[in-house]
């Protein structure tokens, strides 16, 4: 990986690119999903392209062609050349002023291959591909009024490859809308007379009803609305102290996960639902959550092409519904993967037409307030966004988020064997990341592989409190024999000990505890459940 000082060697001064022809001067109202407070941010998306030439025939990246195409695309997407303004009631509008979007041309002092194989975002110096640092530390306090709505940078590499980065204001477009705008630029750069998909504004389709009704959506969103006093380590840990890793799921990995599901469920669930459930379960097990802690999986779902709100083709505003799965950390980690997938699938079934309309009503009622994602894990599917862009030269390689984020993003890539795969980004504190990787590895290992690991690395057998005694569930055999025993022998993986002590299942203090804390050697891979009771 190249050092940060070498990635971008030269950068032009930022300039405003306005629509190439006169456009209407008017004011456009945003929808009630658009100006939701958590959308006050700039989403940093980047797409990479390798040179399509060979030998000495290396075409120049189309930097100036792209700049010209941006101006032409803004004729159709002219609101994006305007600025946001806030009305006295707190509602956001777009003043279509033709001021333009920010554009920067840059040159990198290295080749695309120097960034690693497979190339995945974000990497340590990927922020240099962006015009400016619009990353937020607090989503409730980002200035979006009277600022450019789009920042774009085209970075040329020494090999003839290039990257195009777009930081788009989330209030005016979701990921699908940003991808549609980028495709319009690509169409015009290729020489098309106009974008192949024409933009549609129609924000009135996603407005609150009169009278509103939040009953269908409020129960699912209530934990996010009431989470004002957060104690989630993921929200209190600074982002720059965390680490980012990618986990690749190819054909073999997906088949291994599906083998863990009942046949009927394996046929019903999608790859996205299976991966979301797997990541949610392993991440929760790796974090220091108490067993009674409520955790949530927050899974965006596009409303485009569905009958709920009749969103037309070309609509580029925010049009995402959200399925929200809920469980206690103990139940989630103590159950099977199949049970977690069932929860994710059931949450998806709750997303009906009334749920979506109720969600819009709820967002409108929260104007000026943001949701707190305490104990909430977001998994977003970017496999179709910014993918297969065609600017007329260069071969699309990969797309993704340019900056680390707490959410997980699924993107298309190729694994070490050159096969199509899905890469899942993960941002966690370093010790938690190690536990997550072990959880995931243990989940995907066969029973024979896991037993080999267990014998090789060693597993602690400890006297711990049987949770069934406290829970009033089925009693252990010793109690059935009328022997008043509250402790039994259990098999406990090393990196779950702190969680067990925190949940009072292991009496504390215990003089032997330090012998089994995580750290090399020994290490074990984690399989669920973390505690196995011996008869």
């Amino acid at each position: 990986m190249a050092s940060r000082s070498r990635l971008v060697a030269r950068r032009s001064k930022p300039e405003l690119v306005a629509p190439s022809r006169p456009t209407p001067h008017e004011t456009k109202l945003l929808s009630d999903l658009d100006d939701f407070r958590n959308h006050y941010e700039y989403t940093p998306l980047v797409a990479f392209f390798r040179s399509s030439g060979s030998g000495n025939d290396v075409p120049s990246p189309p930097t100036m062609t792209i700049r010209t195409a941006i101006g032409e695309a803004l004729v159709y997407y002219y609101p994006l050349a305007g600025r946001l303004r806030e009305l006295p009631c707190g509602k956001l509008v777009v003043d279509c002023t033709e001021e333009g979007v920010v554009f920067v041309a840059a040159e990198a002092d290295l080749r695309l291959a120097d960034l690693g194989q497979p190339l995945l975002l974000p990497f340590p110096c990927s922020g240099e591909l962006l015009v400016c640092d619009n990353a937020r530390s607090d989503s409730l306090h980002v200035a979006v009024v009277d600022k450019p709505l789009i920042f774009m940078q085209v970075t040329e590499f020494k090999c003839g490859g290039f990257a195009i980065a777009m930081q788009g204001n989330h209030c005016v477009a979701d990921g699908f809308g940003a991808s549609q705008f980028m495709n319009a630029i690509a169409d015009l750069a290729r020489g098309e007379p106009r974008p192949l998909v024409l933009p549609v504004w129609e924000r009135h389709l996603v407005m609150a009803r009169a009278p509103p009704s939040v009953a269908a959506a409020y129960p699912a969103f209530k934990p996010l609305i009431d989470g004002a006093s957060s104690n989630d380590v993921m929200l209190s840990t600074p982002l720059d102290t965390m680490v980012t890793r990618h986990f690749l799921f190819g054909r073999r990995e997906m088949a291994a996960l599906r083998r863990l599901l009942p046949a009927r469920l394996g046929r019903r669930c999608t790859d996205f639902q299976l991966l979301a459930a797997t990541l949610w379960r392993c991440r929760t097990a790796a974090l220091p959550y108490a067993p009674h802690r409520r955790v949530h999986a927050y899974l965006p779902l596009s409303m485009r092409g569905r009958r709920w709100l009749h969103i037309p083709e070309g609509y580029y505003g925010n049009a995402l519904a959200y399925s929200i799965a809920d469980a206690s950390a103990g139940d989630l980690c103590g159950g099977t993967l199949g049970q977690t997938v069932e929860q994710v699938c059931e949450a998806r079934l709750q997303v009906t037409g009334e749920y979506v309309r109720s969600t819009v009503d709820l967002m409108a009622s929260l104007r000026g307030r943001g949701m707190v994602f305490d104990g909430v894990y977001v998994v977003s599917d970017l496999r179709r966004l910014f993918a297969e862009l065609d600017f007329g030269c260069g071969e699309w390689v990969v797309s993704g988020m340019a900056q680390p984020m707490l959410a997980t993003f699924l993107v298309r890539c190729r694994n070490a064997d050159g096969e199509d795969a899905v890469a899942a980004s993960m941002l966690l504190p370093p010790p938690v990341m190690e536990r997550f990787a072990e959880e995931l590895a243990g989940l995907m290992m066969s029973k024979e592989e896991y037993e080999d690991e267990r014998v090789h690395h060693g597993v602690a057998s400890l006297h711990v409190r049987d949770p069934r005694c406290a829970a009033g569930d089925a009693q252990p055999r010793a109690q059935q024999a009328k022997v008043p025993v509250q402790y039994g022998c259990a098999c406990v993986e090393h990196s779950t000990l702190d969680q067990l002590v925190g949940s009072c299942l292991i009496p504390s203090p215990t003089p032997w505890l330090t012998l089994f804390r995580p750290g090399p050697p020994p290490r074990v891979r984690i399989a669920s459940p973390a505690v196995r009771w011996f008869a």
Side-chain angles (χ1 to χ4, degrees), residues 158-331:
K158 291 172 65 176
C159 58
F162 65 97
I164 180 166
M166 173 181 172
Q167 294 163 275
N169 189 308
H170 202 338
C171 293
V172 294
D174 59 14
F176 289 90
S179 183
Q180 180 180 308
F181 177 59
M182 189 69 81
N183 272 288
I185 297 171
D187 294 341
L188 295 165
R190 287 197 316 273
E192 297 288 346
R194 64 178 189 174
L196 297 182
V197 176
L198 293 176
V200 173
W201 186 260
E202 303 299 337
R203 305 293 166 114
H204 67 277
L205 296 173
V206 195
M207 291 293 190
R209 297 171 292 186
S213 173
V214 302
Y218 181 75
F221 284 92
K222 185 177 185 298
L224 286 74
I225 298 171
D226 296 343
S229 56
S230 170
N231 61 356
D232 188 350
V233 64
M234 292 301 297
L235 299 182
S236 60
T237 303
L239 292 183
D240 57 5
T241 66
M242 299 193 198
V243 294
T244 299
R245 282 185 61 181
H246 293 88
F247 297 85
L248 270 57
F249 298 87
R251 176 179 51 82
R252 288 183 295 275
E253 289 79 12
M254 295 304 297
L257 290 174
R258 286 194 180 275
R259 282 196 295 267
L260 300 175
L261 306 181
R264 58 170 182 81
L265 184 59
R267 291 189 296 267
R268 179 163 65 95
C269 76
T270 65
D271 283 353
F272 173 73
Q273 291 168 332
L274 176 56
L275 285 176
T278 299
L279 297 167
W280 181 34
R281 188 170 182 271
C282 292
R283 181 181 182 271
T284 302
L287 286 163
Y289 291 154
H292 62 273
R293 171 69 180 267
R294 303 304 297 184
V295 292
H296 317 272
Y298 188 87
L299 311 175
L301 174 70
S302 177
M303 292 186 283
R304 293 166 175 82
R306 305 179 190 275
R307 63 180 182 275
W308 297 322
L309 297 179
H310 303 289
I311 303 296
E313 182 184 18
Y315 185 86
Y316 61 101
N318 287 275
L320 296 176
Y322 300 93
S323 59
I324 304 175
D326 170 87
S328 71
D331 289 344

Side-chain angles (χ1 to χ4, degrees), residues 91-107:
K91 184 73 178 169
L92 289 179
V93 297
V94 179
D95 286 334
C96 301
T97 59
E98 292 188 300
E99 290 178 72
V101 305
V102 177
F103 178 81
V104 168
E107 296 179 8

Side-chain angles (χ1 to χ4, degrees), residues 353-506:
E354 177 56 28
Y355 176 90
V356 170
R357 294 184 185 91
S358 182
T359 298
V360 176
D361 294 346
L362 179 62
M363 298 306 173
S365 73
L366 294 174
R367 182 168 300 127
R369 295 172 56 192
M371 295 183 184
V372 177
F373 285 60
D374 185 19
V376 177
Y377 177 45
V378 180
V379 184
S380 185
D381 189 357
L382 301 187
R383 288 176 295 174
R384 293 172 52 199
L385 302 189
F386 274 44
E388 304 297 349
L389 284 168
D390 182 5
F391 288 92
C393 69
E395 177 187 354
W396 178 85
V397 179
V398 74
S399 310
M401 291 288 180
Q403 293 174 321
M405 294 189 175
L406 295 178
T408 284
F409 298 97
L410 305 182
V411 299
R412 290 175 48 197
C413 70
R414 292 187 181 275
N415 60 21
D417 298 327
E419 300 173 337
D420 288 337
V422 176
S425 64
M426 187 63 64
L427 179 71
L428 293 169
V432 179
M433 183 67 79
E434 291 184 25
R435 293 196 289 271
F436 172 83
E438 291 172 344
E439 282 282 350
L440 184 60
L443 184 65
M444 299 184 68
M445 281 192 294
S446 67
K447 180 179 179 182
E448 292 76 14
E449 289 173 327
Y450 177 75
E451 290 301 324
D452 288 344
E453 286 283 330
R454 182 171 175 270
V455 171
H456 178 69
H457 292 289
V459 176
S461 292
L462 312 173
H463 286 282
V464 299
R465 190 186 307 274
D466 186 338
R468 295 170 296 180
C469 298
D473 296 333
Q475 294 180 331
R477 292 183 184 179
Q479 286 191 321
Q480 292 174 3
K482 298 185 178 181
V483 178
V485 175
Q486 276 196 311
Y487 294 87
C489 189
C491 165
V492 183
E493 276 76 8
H494 299 0
S495 52
T496 62
L497 288 177
D498 289 337
Q499 295 181 31
L500 292 171
V501 172
S503 62
C504 300
L505 296 181
I506 295 179

Side-chain angles (χ1 to χ4, degrees), residues 519-534:
R523 293 287 289 183
V524 299
R525 297 190 181 181
I526 303 171
S528 294
V531 180
R532 297 178 180 81
W533 293 93
F534 298 125

